[in-house]
Amino acid sequence: MKKTLLAGLLAGVAVAGVAEARDQIRIVGSSTVFPFSTAVAERFGKTTSFKTPIVESTGSGGGLKLFCAGIGEGHPDITNASRRIKAKEVETCAKNGVGDVVEVKVGYDGIVLANSRDTAQFSLTLKDIFMALAHDVPAGACASADDCTLVANPNRTWKDVNPALPDVRVEVLGPPATSGTRDAFVELAMEGGCKTFKGLKAMKKADKKAYKAACHTIREDGMYIEAGENDNLIVQKLTTNPRALGIFGFSFLDQNSDKLQGSTVNGMSPEFEEIAAGNYPVSRALFFYVKKAHIGTVPGIAEYIAEFTNEATWGPDGYLADKGLIPMSDDERKEWSASSNGLQNLSM
Amino acid sequence: MIDRQSSPSETILASLPRRRRAEARFRIYGIAAIGIALAFLILLISAIGTQGIGAISQTEIALDVTLDESVLGLSDARDRETLSKANYRAVIRAALGDVFPEAVSARRDRRALMKLVSVGAGFELRNLVLEDPGLVGGTMRVWVPADDEVDMLMKGATARDSGRFSDKQLGWLDQLEEEGRIRSAFNWRFFTSGDSREPELAGILGAIAGSFFALITCLVLSFPLGVMTAIYLEEFAPRNRWTDLIEININNLAAVPSIVFGLLGLAIFLGFMGLTRSAPLVGGMVLALMTLPTVIIATRASLRAVPPSIREAAIGLGASRMQAMLHHTLPLAMPGIMTGTIIGMAQALGESAPLIMIGMVAFIVDMPQGLLDPASALPVQIYIWADSPERAFAEKTAAAIIVLLAFLIIMNLTAVILRRRFERRW
């Protein structure tokens, strides 16, 4: 084994010298931003004289890790993220010489709870979502921290959760814990519902760890089914099982609007306009980050930013909207376009 | 069988029918097991087949385009650069406007109308003009790809009343169909282009090229290394603790999950040796590490299958051990070695896990021209398409699976044929 490895190494070294200077943008990061980023990359490659950028889908965290690993040809120029960069990641970046980073906010993505059109549409509140999916729920009203005891989630049907909901067993197909969509769902929907209990909300200050455990943990008794990273799979399962609800990104609902319907959350339906206006509560911002040190070294980065922040790309009538991206408001777009094309440094 | 000498005892006779029944049952179990496996295989292949067959055709729309200089935004210059930057989309829009004059006034209608045609239409027109700049100024009829949604509608995958089309759009499509401007053509784009975010433009050739380059690298590395290792271990190495250790390690390596080889590739080929990310060269090297144990084990097995008498006869006649090896044992073992290598290659062709780590799971539009150009691979392409929200990608995914299966069947068939034709039995 040793021998073969060594020989393999030698063979590799012999060709390593051929690697040449990079003339192609390299993008890594979030799988949520991937469909949008690739669409822009393809247009950019077809309409400019630059090569089509290579886009890898590594997840937000994985992308930032690669991005922050250093400067030079071996490191990506841009990383996509379905959340904002964390202070800790900025530190790692700076430690590895990636000091100047341009932040570009792209738009929004709604996370929807949808079911088959063969059954009635669900009207949920954040509290309902929490009560249906949390591992532990408060036993009583939980009006203050003192009289708030958590019990293992006893709710079997939606009717147990809220008498106004149908008498159907809770069955939710959603992303696994490794997914960015799951992170966002937990943070926005679960925690949002969790906070409606005053007792739990008070816990946030007193014991942050316990608060997080209570609000962020999803039940593991088979009512929430981890359906894998592939959202198409969830869509397929929903069409064959009309009793189930599924959790996935808005673009998949948009593409399958003839088969599926989104549940309203806090009275807001997951529609393009509502998410864009910020009324739909379970939506998150999407970003990408650009390594300033590479602008000028790798050709086309500034032009790629310009293409992405073009109205015909990310505007309400742009081609990304056709792909399911929820655009920012006019003012927000103007602001972000100015700051990102001016290559302003990221400020936390 | 009952022995003739000893008289059949009562107990044996009594147990005979029971034992025969047991045997009959056992055979039925076997047939049932095979039947179930076959049924699943047929189910799988027919499901993929019926879905993938759609990708062979693509809906196209005929437009009478006028390549007017003013619409194209061209001045007098006719060099490649200017021609490639011209506004072909405007030409397409104008051609659509000629068919539906009532739809050009309102901006909303114009957008809805443009949505019927693929965004690739303008680029295809551009390529026509770049090939023959003399087309500028003239009028011609071109068949451009329809948008993927329209394609799905025409193939019946989307219902008319699905709400994905407005009544106006449906009316326009009906009119196009009446005028004979819609056809279902062979989808050559699927076999001649690289990946795209537009399902109607996406092709498999880039992935095939990537897989090809990676497999070539894999073969060039793993075949000589594997065969040499196996020959040495089998014929020359002394039997001691070290060779035992190496043997155990090789057998273990064959069972290591493939993602581990990806991690090794990331650390050594990319990290330590600084090779380029996403290159099929690195992919091939990682796959070679994975295939090596298969090649070594197959080679050793087929060397061992050559009867020692042949080796001994050669040595007895004065051949050196190397001569006996190269002139007699190795040629006789070759069919087995080839079979093992081809099966190893077929395994490598279907792998995507080790490629994640070295950046080959990526959206790559340009066709790879060599070992160092960024590329994806067939299984990776399937994975990326399966994950895309656009409904039309479902049939592309199935079609890509068919292509991959076809390659695997060809490779495995070659292995079977080689074995049948050249294998010697003693």
Side-chain angles (χ1 to χ4, degrees):
Chain A
M1 182 190 71
K2 223 164 154 190
K3 186 179 144 173
T4 51
L5 253 183
L6 211 89
L9 274 178
L10 285 177
V13 171
V15 281
V18 198
E20 60 221 83
R22 189 146 63 79
D23 59 353
Q24 198 166 20
I25 301 176
R26 302 211 64 134
I27 304 170
V28 293
S30 160
S31 53
T32 311
V33 190
F34 183 80
F36 309 128
S37 179
T38 46
V40 177
E42 190 178 352
R43 294 277 176 122
F44 175 76
K46 280 196 172 138
T47 52
T48 65
S49 48
F50 300 104
K51 279 190 175 176
T52 309
I54 300 166
V55 190
E56 275 181 60
S57 166
T58 61
S60 302
L64 279 159
K65 209 168 147 193
L66 285 167
F67 180 80
C68 287
I71 282 180
E73 268 178 34
H75 304 284
D77 311 307
I78 295 172
T79 186
N80 299 319
S82 56
R83 56 168 172 82
R84 215 171 167 222
I85 192 170
K86 292 176 187 160
K88 222 178 185 174
E89 287 160 336
V90 176
E91 264 170 49
T92 330
C93 255
K95 219 190 298 164
N96 292 324
V98 189
D100 292 344
V101 171
V102 182
E103 182 180 48
V104 186
K105 188 167 161 186
V106 175
Y108 299 95
D109 176 41
I111 297 173
V112 302
L113 284 102
N115 64 350
S116 162
R117 280 201 179 268
D118 296 341
T119 41
Q121 190 183 21
F122 272 77
S123 306
L124 302 168
T125 61
L126 290 178
K127 190 177 167 187
D128 294 339
I129 296 174
F130 174 73
M131 290 302 284
L133 297 179
H135 194 274
D136 299 313
V137 294
C142 187
S144 71
D146 301 325
D147 82 330
C148 198
T149 43
L150 292 172
V151 293
N153 196 339
N155 300 321
R156 316 301 298 174
T157 68
W158 287 101
K159 205 173 178 175
D160 296 340
V161 172
N162 180 345
L165 290 170
D167 189 11
V168 185
R169 191 175 170 257
V170 175
E171 193 176 354
V172 178
L173 304 163
T178 48
S179 147
T181 310
R182 163 85 166 257
D183 287 347
F185 176 77
V186 160
E187 223 159 87
L188 295 163
M190 296 281 291
E191 194 177 330
C194 184
K195 271 194 288 205
T196 57
F197 293 96
K198 286 202 180 85
L200 285 168
K201 200 178 175 189
M203 212 158 101
K204 188 173 183 179
K205 281 192 190 118
D207 185 353
K208 210 167 172 187
K209 226 174 173 176
Y211 168 78
K212 257 196 153 168
C215 291
H216 285 197
T217 316
I218 284 187
R219 66 196 303 179
E220 289 160 346
D221 51 2
M223 305 251 158
Y224 179 89
I225 303 152
E226 292 194 354
E229 289 269 13
N230 190 326
D231 287 353
N232 272 329
L233 210 66
I234 299 183
V235 169
Q236 249 180 41
K237 284 182 183 161
L238 288 182
T239 52
T240 52
N241 180 4
R243 295 149 57 92
L245 276 175
I247 300 169
F248 44 85
F250 170 75
S251 45
F252 286 84
L253 177 64
D254 191 36
Q255 282 291 325
N256 296 289
S257 54
D258 54 333
K259 294 183 205 151
L260 304 178
Q261 56 193 351
S263 316
T264 62
V265 178
N266 287 358
M268 293 297 164
S269 48
E271 275 157 22
F272 192 86
E273 290 76 17
E274 300 288 1
I275 305 173
N279 294 331
Y280 181 73
V282 198
S283 83
R284 56 179 160 169
L286 307 176
F287 300 88
F288 69 87
Y289 294 90
V290 183
K291 214 175 268 180
K292 233 172 158 179
H294 283 195
I295 301 175
T297 326
V298 178
I301 297 181
E303 288 82 354
Y304 175 83
I305 301 177
E307 168 71 29
F308 215 125
T309 55
N310 191 339
E311 274 300 292
T313 308
W314 74 352
D317 289 334
Y319 59 83
L320 289 186
D322 291 341
K323 293 257 168 238
L325 178 78
I326 314 286
M328 295 180 281
S329 66
D330 291 356
D331 291 341
E332 229 183 338
R333 280 202 311 281
K334 216 180 265 168
E335 216 173 281
W336 278 99
S337 168
S339 77
S340 46
N341 282 301
L343 304 180
Q344 245 172 57
N345 270 343
L346 160 78
S347 56
M348 292 301 279
Chain B
M1 276 285 135
I2 301 159
D3 204 337
R4 214 187 302 149
Q5 259 93 45
S6 67
S7 60
S9 86
E10 288 291 309
T11 40
I12 290 180
L13 266 181
S15 75
L16 255 183
R18 186 177 50 79
R19 290 194 300 172
R20 291 207 174 118
R21 273 202 309 276
E23 184 168 334
R25 268 204 307 279
F26 186 73
R27 283 186 191 191
I28 290 170
Y29 293 152
I31 291 169
I34 294 175
I36 289 170
L38 267 182
F40 273 115
L41 187 71
I42 289 168
L43 189 74
L44 175 82
I45 289 184
S46 58
I48 293 172
T50 46
Q51 212 181 8
I53 204 86
I56 291 180
S57 62
Q58 160 71 36
T59 309
E60 293 184 339
I61 297 176
L63 291 177
D64 301 307
V65 293
T66 311
L67 289 158
D68 192 32
E69 280 101 331
S70 59
V71 180
L72 282 167
L74 283 173
S75 53
D76 289 334
R78 287 287 183 277
D79 55 294
R80 240 187 124 71
E81 175 79 18
T82 338
L83 280 178
S84 80
K85 287 254 162 77
N87 192 353
Y88 296 97
R89 215 172 149 68
V91 173
I92 300 276
R93 195 178 298 136
L96 273 170
D98 288 345
V99 187
F100 305 105
E102 74 280 6
V104 283
S105 48
R107 196 180 121 71
R108 229 187 136 74
D109 285 350
R110 275 206 308 267
R111 274 180 56 81
L113 189 56
M114 272 308 267
K115 275 197 179 158
L116 300 181
V117 175
S118 164
V119 291
F123 301 117
E124 286 193 1
L125 197 58
R126 176 182 71 180
N127 292 346
L128 283 177
V129 171
L130 284 178
E131 255 171 49
D132 179 12
L135 290 174
V136 176
T139 303
M140 58 176 176
R141 176 168 266 218
V142 287
W143 287 95
V144 295
D147 187 67
D148 56 308
E149 298 258 9
V150 175
D151 190 39
M152 288 290 99
L153 181 74
M154 291 296 155
K155 284 174 182 163
T158 320
R160 273 178 82 90
D161 56 357
S162 62
R164 304 196 62 74
F165 292 96
S166 67
D167 290 342
K168 253 185 191 162
Q169 282 176 314
L170 288 171
W172 291 330
L173 284 171
D174 289 342
Q175 189 184 333
L176 282 173
E177 212 164 7
E178 266 166 41
E179 291 178 21
R181 284 176 181 272
I182 288 190
R183 72 170 180 195
S184 173
F186 177 72
N187 189 5
W188 50 270
R189 292 173 196 88
F190 183 72
F191 298 99
T192 56
S193 42
D195 196 6
S196 169
R197 277 293 292 136
E198 310 300 330
E200 69 274 17
L201 304 177
I204 192 101
L205 191 64
I208 291 179
S211 271
F212 173 76
F213 286 128
L215 276 191
I216 289 288
T217 314
C218 175
L219 181 68
V220 165
L221 286 176
S222 64
F223 183 68
L225 280 175
V227 173
M228 293 288 273
T229 310
I231 289 178
Y232 181 77
L233 283 178
E234 192 61 35
E235 302 280 330
F236 297 98
R239 293 259 165 258
N240 58 25
R241 281 228 303 275
W242 288 111
T243 45
D244 281 350
L245 188 71
I246 289 175
E247 195 171 335
I248 291 169
N249 267 311
I250 288 172
N251 290 335
N252 263 340
L253 219 53
V256 167
S258 55
I259 185 101
V260 176
F261 291 105
L263 284 166
L264 186 75
L266 175 70
I268 295 179
F269 301 145
L270 296 185
F272 176 65
M273 281 160 53
L275 289 172
T276 37
R277 239 178 120 77
S278 316
L281 173 77
V282 183
M285 285 159 80
V286 169
L287 293 177
L289 292 180
M290 212 191 78
T291 328
L292 261 177
T294 315
V295 176
I296 294 174
I297 292 169
T299 307
R300 293 191 68 177
S302 40
L303 284 175
R304 221 173 293 152
V306 177
S309 56
I310 294 192
R311 223 160 311 180
E312 282 155 13
I315 290 172
L317 287 172
S320 69
R321 276 177 78 183
M322 196 178 93
Q323 282 172 325
M325 176 76 234
L326 291 181
H327 297 170
H328 301 281
T329 323
L330 192 59
L332 286 171
M334 222 30 169
I337 298 176
M338 303 270 259
T339 311
T341 311
I342 292 173
I343 287 170
M345 289 290 129
Q347 254 172 26
L349 175 65
E351 262 318 323
S352 62
L355 304 181
I356 295 173
M357 290 290 144
I358 55 162
M360 279 181 85
V361 180
F363 175 74
I364 292 160
V365 175
D366 301 333
M367 209 72 66
Q369 306 292 334
L371 291 177
L372 285 168
D373 282 356
S376 65
L378 268 174
V380 169
Q381 193 64 75
I382 292 169
Y383 168 74
I384 291 179
W385 283 348
D387 223 11
S388 302
E390 286 83 1
R391 193 177 295 178
F393 271 123
E395 61 174 35
K396 309 280 164 196
T397 311
I401 293 173
I402 294 173
V403 171
L404 181 63
L405 282 179
F407 277 112
L408 289 175
I409 289 171
I410 291 172
M411 289 173 85
N412 285 327
L413 259 183
T414 320
V416 171
I417 290 170
L418 274 178
R419 200 166 48 212
R420 282 273 162 80
R421 286 207 57 166
F422 298 108
E423 194 176 45
R424 293 277 292 271
R425 286 182 193 284
W426 283 280

